[in-house]
Structures are given as structure tokens and as C-alpha cells.
Amino acid sequence: MNMIPLPFSKEFGVEPNGRSNSQTHTEYLFRYPVGDDSRPGPLNLQEMLAGHLRAILDLVTLTWKGKRVRIDGYRLLDEPDLDHPLYPEVNQESAQYADRLDIYEPRIPYIRQLMESIHSIVDFEYQGEPVRIDGFRLKRPDQWLKPGGGAADILAQAATRCNLKCRFCYNLGSPLVFKETSRKAEAEYREILARIAYYVPGSKLGLFPDAGSPCEMLTHPYIPEILTALRRKTDEVVRIPTNGSLLTPEMIQTLSQYQPLFVDVSLNTSSPSRRRWLMRDLEPEVAINALAELESAHIPYSVVIVPWPFPSLEEMVEDLARTIAFSARFNPAYIQISLPGYSRWFSNETLFDREEVWNHLKTEIQHLRTVTGCPLIIRPGLYEEYLDPEAIDTPRLIGVIKNSPAARAGLVLGDRLLGINGLRIKNRTQARSLLGTVQNSSLEKVSLNVERSGELLDLDMDLNHFEYPFDPRTVPYAGCVFPSAGIPLNWMEQLRTMMATEKAREVLILTSTLVRPMLGKRIRESLFPADVHLHLRVPANQYLGGNIFMGDLLTVEDFIAAVKNFLDEGIVLPDLVVIPSSPFHLSGWGRDLTGRVYKDIERITGIPVGLIECDPIFD
Ligand code: SF4
């Protein structure tokens, strides 16, 4: 059998001549292989049709007169009396996908499946001779644009390698599908140039991401060229997360040419010996000295700290306090403290007690806020109000960014916002939303009503009155810092609509440990018909395991187990399962972090599932 000769090398996505001229970016081919023998093709014609139908149903929701229609089988028109089940062998086994496109752009794996299955039924011909194909390419990449994360998504494609080996590196504990892939830097560069060429600033339309867990983008040999090309295309803020090891004075000088920038420096510790040990950074002084250099270059930045509870909890806490005090001297916009965790992929052994470590850290950080002139943000933010009913959804400030309009208006740590320009504020989501709106409006001044230690205050805020490190292009909410967005304001409305559409009375709501207190509060404050029963449950994070308990990291497999556990309780058979969409936020295609579509939950449990729009809470 002949092969159609393909005019490019075996490394998919790269032309063979290896030209590095940036003018060639539009020639870059987005190419994908087909014919992998590890994927069995259909056994017969009918299996081919069923396979296509299943694949289509993982991409679309069928409707009739505007209402969702669910199907679990089909009949061929020439055999109208014979039922064929669509999912005879669906089970709850975890699906181990190896292709990130299953998550980010499942239409490409769908095309591959289509071609492979057709190829297993018929032979293609070229000039009367049978031929085999071994790949396909996108004819018009511009047809594949969709709204996304803008410059950050493009830059993430450059963050494919790292020069350090942190002891806590999350890449050691991430599922296989997100592991780094090794490609030649030249190939990555050419792809990134093509992504920049197709990018539509303003609407932030870009090509679907296809990168693994981000590593250190400053190690990419083409980073200056990439930043130059990106800056030519857009003046949007470029956000650079970095471990700091390459932030030499020269690098900071180079970066300063690409403003507006915001740099997140993973400093982790201000102690050279601890950084050498923790991150295996042989030149720890570079990152430590970088804070002063960033300040002199007037590049807004944040400091990121992962407190790692080794060799002891006490040492971690002492080092955290020292690192915060050191960092605050160089005016970062804020300091982020990411509470430590690990998955079963990182360690099967129990490394530390999460509750003990997180509680200890929360108490310490809340104390350090009172003596540090820089906002300290705990991530995940909802942990601030975990087990603290008074704090739930409260529009109280956990910090104010130095020299911001909020700071200059006189707002301080602990203030509770009660109103903006006469509009009453009931919760934190509302406060963030209103501040975001006024910051992006043409308003110059706003009035604030504030409660401080039991006293009511009226303050005036001038939105044009600010200086470094505040920059409205890089920092939101006029400099006010809150713990976390939490649940969107329209959550309850979405829930009511979904229940009405499904005529549901017994509703199982699956949430996370951190969101549950806030959700419970919102439900108590909302009105539901007396015959409606809402059952809240928290699925265990079995897929990632370890001590991970973030709801955004739950998988389809975890949700199926949670529904089954609820059924085992024997309370009631729910007629609707409701899940926040954030565990499926990666691409908008309803896939979890293994690439599995959420519809498998209802296919396996037999109970309708609805997703409620919800952003990830890790902010
Ligand atoms: S800098 Fe980041 S990617 Fe690199 S080893 Fe450390 S945690 Fe991992």
C-alpha cells in the first residue's frame, strides 16, 4: 500500500527545513498523527456509527424545541424495531487519557477517531491506488480561535522546562497528561509565533492551549524574541510567573522593555541556605536580590511563598515570618502564600497533617498581617473563612495595596465595605464586582461607606491617585484585597432555573469542603419551594489523593463515587445532581483534568446532571 508523501518531518508540527525566520510563522502547520495501532478501530460498520454517535454526544447536547434531550441508544432506520444501547460497557473505571487535546480541543481527537474508524472500514485511494494516511493538519487555524487567557495562554506554551528541582514541585504530583513534553525549543518558538500571529487582542481570541503544567518560561532560549513578538501584537499586561533564579539585573532590564508586566516571583524563602535546600537553587542570591531590582525597575510584582513544613513546622513558620518581613521591604504589590499540599502521585505516604499545618499557617499569617505593610494573601482564599462562620462571604479587607487609590482613601486592613457610591454591599462577591466595575469605568472619584471596629466611616476614593506598586492595569479592585471570590452572585438563580427545567424536587448538590460553608449560607438566605430538598455532599478527592481537597481538582470518577455513596445512604433517590462547573473549567468542553466528559456521571448513575457556572476558587 502506498503512503501519500507528506512534505514535513516526523516531528509533528514542524517543517523539515528548520527555518527560524519569524516571517515563516504562518507556514507553521498544526499537524496531528492518525493510525496509532494502540487505538482499536471499529469492528464493523455498525460499531463505527455507534462510535461516531458517542463521540458526537461528548461534544454536543441534543435539544428539541429548546429543551435538552438525553439519549442512551439508537435504532437504524432500516431496522426500526431493533434497539442498540450506546453505552453498554461504560463503567466507573478511571479513564487514563494521554492526550491534552482531549481536554482543550476534543474536536481534534474526534476528527482523528473519525478518520481512523473510516479507514478501518474503507481504503482511501489516490489515482486508482490504495493509500494510507498517517496524519492531518488544520487547513485554517483561524477557524479554531476561541476566547481564552490571552497573552498568558500564549506564554504558557514557552514554559515547558525548568532549571530547578523544588522539593514540593507540583509537577511531580500532576497526572501524566500534564507532564512536561520534550520538544525542540525551535519548534516551540515557531508554534508560539504562529499563535501570536493568529491571536486577536481585545477579544482575547486565541488558539486552544496545548501545554502541560507550566514550568519556568524564562529558561526558554527564545523568550526575548517571544516577548518582542507578543508586544508588537498587543499592549495587554503580560504576566510572568517565575522561580526568580534567572532574574538577574540584566534580565530585569530586558523585561522592563516589555511593560506593562506583572511578575510573580516564587521566592519561597529569603534564606539562601533554605532556598538552596528547598528549590535546589545553586545561586539563591539571584532571586533574593531580584526583589530590590524589580522595585528599582518599577515592575509591579508579587512574591509567592509555598511554606513547606520541613525539616520542621517551627522552622517553616520562622522562615515564613522572616521571608515576609524581608519581601515587604521592597514593595511587592502583595505576597501570596500557597498552602502546601501533595497528591498521591507525589507521595503515597502521609507526609504531614494538612489540617494541622494549614491551621497553624492561617493563624500565623493573620497575625503577620497586623505587622506587615503589604497584603498577605492565603491561597486558597476560602480557607480564611473555613470553620469561621463570622467571616463567611464578608466584604472585609485582608489588606490594602500600598499607594493604591484604596490606601490613599484611608482604607486599612480589617475595614468592612458597606457601600460604594450609595449602593449597599451585602457580600464579598458584590464588593469585588462593584470595585472592578468602578476601576474599569471613566469615574474618577467614588464614595465609600465603611465599618471599622464598630464605627461607621465615609471615605472618598480618587481612582487616579496612585503610584507604584499599584497599577490599575495589573491589580484589580482599586487596591482592596479580599480573601476570595467564592460563589458567583447568580448561583442561586442558575440553580432555580435548572431545577425548574428538570422539574426536580430532590437535588443532590456536590460541592467542596471549602465552598460548602459559603454555599450553605447562600442557600439558607434564599427562598426555595417547601417541597424542594437540597442535599449537600462533598466528594472525596480520590483521583488526586494525598491531602488534596480542592473541589476544582475533583474528577468525574470522584463525582460518580460521591453519587453512589449518597445512594447508599438510602435517604432518597435524587432527581437531579448539581455540580459547580469549576472542575470542568479547563477548556469549556466539560472535561475534567483527566479529559473525561462530565456527562459520564449521568450515564453511569442514571441521574440527570447539571453544571452551574462557577470560576475556579484558587484565587
Ligand atoms: S520552579 Fe516550579 S516548575 Fe520548577 S521545580 Fe520549582 S515548582 Fe517545579
Side-chain angles (χ1 to χ4, degrees), residues 162 164-166 169 171 215 243:
C162 190
L164 300 185
K165 271 193 169 183
C166 300
C169 180
N171 283 333
C215 297
N243 61 33

Side-chain angles (χ1 to χ4, degrees), residues 159 161-172 180 213-216 242-245 266 268 275 278-280 306:
R161 33 181 83 65
C162 190
N163 55 338
L164 300 185
K165 271 193 169 183
C166 300
R167 289 180 189 270
F168 53 79
C169 180
Y170 53 85
N171 283 333
L172 299 174
E180 302 164 45
S213 298
C215 297
E216 176 55 53
T242 171
N243 61 33
S245 62
S266 287
N268 294 313
R275 189 170 155 105
L278 188 63
M279 301 175 73
R280 298 186 175 95
V306 178

